[in-house]
Amino acid sequence: SQTIHQWPATLVQPVGSPLSLECTVEGTSNPNLYWYRQAAGRGLQLLFYSVGIGQISSEVPQNLSASRPQDRQFILSSKKLLLSDSGFYLCAWSVGPLRAGIPGELFFGEGSRLTVL
Amino acid sequence: AQSVAQPEDQVNVAEGNPLTVKCTYSVSGNPYLFWYVQYPNRGLQFLLKYITGDNLVKGSYGFEAEFNKSQTSFHLKKPSALVSDSALYFCAVRLPFYNQGGKLIFGQGTELSVKP
């Protein structure tokens, strides 16, 4: 069966410090991968998505970046955190487009809570 | 533009009563609709989806949803609510793969509170 792991689960960082959140998926190949941010416990905003290794699409301009160095690894980074980067970050995967004619559900990790002080 | 609306920020229900969490959508083309549930400080759990076929879709934990094309709605329902159903519920529409990688667009969420 497929599983998705995110770490760290919680993180407290000072303003201006770097960030690295990691997400890995097991039990599948060539997944679509997504990073979402949830602010104030409600709305979910898509930050990045990737349909393959090294292929990253950004949804909103910000000081965050994403990378996909391996097929099932998705990393969210920042060189210098801002206060506004605080939030709950969720990684998700779905079956890739080559193996699915109709889009199915996304599967989410347990999230990483980032507090920037 | 593709969008999803959840008109109620909060829904309060007594345990044992039926519950409905409302969702309306606006999409061009075929709608691929989903419901997710989120417990505090947890990730989202998939409940059910409508892709095609029967308008009444059954999902996890006794939940079901009815797709209504004429009203562009996809309301989540359960015949008898449990206290453990208390959580944040999200309706979502998924774009086709050729459109922005098949991303999910979420509603703002509805907080369901079930009282004993």
Side-chain angles (χ1 to χ4, degrees), chain A:
Chain A
S1 63
Q2 300 88 7
T3 55
I4 178 170
H5 303 282
Q6 269 187 256
W7 68 94
T10 59
L11 195 59
V12 180
Q13 292 286 96
V15 169
S17 64
L19 170 74
S20 181
L21 300 179
E22 191 163 341
C23 171
T24 59
V25 180
E26 297 176 357
T28 189
S29 59
N30 194 30
N32 281 0
L33 296 170
Y34 306 83
W35 277 112
Y36 281 84
R37 177 169 60 198
Q38 186 176 31
R42 279 294 180 116
L44 290 146
Q45 179 185 41
L46 179 65
L47 301 176
F48 301 94
Y49 67 93
S50 171
V51 298
I53 296 174
Q55 300 179 59
I56 308 295
S57 296
S58 174
E59 284 290 296
V60 292
Q62 59 214 327
N63 70 321
L64 298 172
S65 62
S67 61
R68 185 171 177 173
Q70 301 180 41
D71 181 45
R72 292 169 290 169
Q73 184 184 28
F74 205 22
I75 297 172
L76 184 69
S77 304
S78 174
K79 292 182 179 179
K80 290 185 177 181
L81 284 168
L82 305 172
L83 287 174
S84 58
D85 292 324
S86 293
F88 193 49
Y89 289 83
L90 291 158
C91 181
W93 76 272
S94 74
V95 173
L98 293 180
R99 295 196 288 125
I102 296 174
E105 58 268 35
L106 268 64
F107 300 95
F108 285 81
E110 286 299 307
S112 298
R113 183 163 300 284
L114 171 65
T115 303
V116 182
L117 302 175

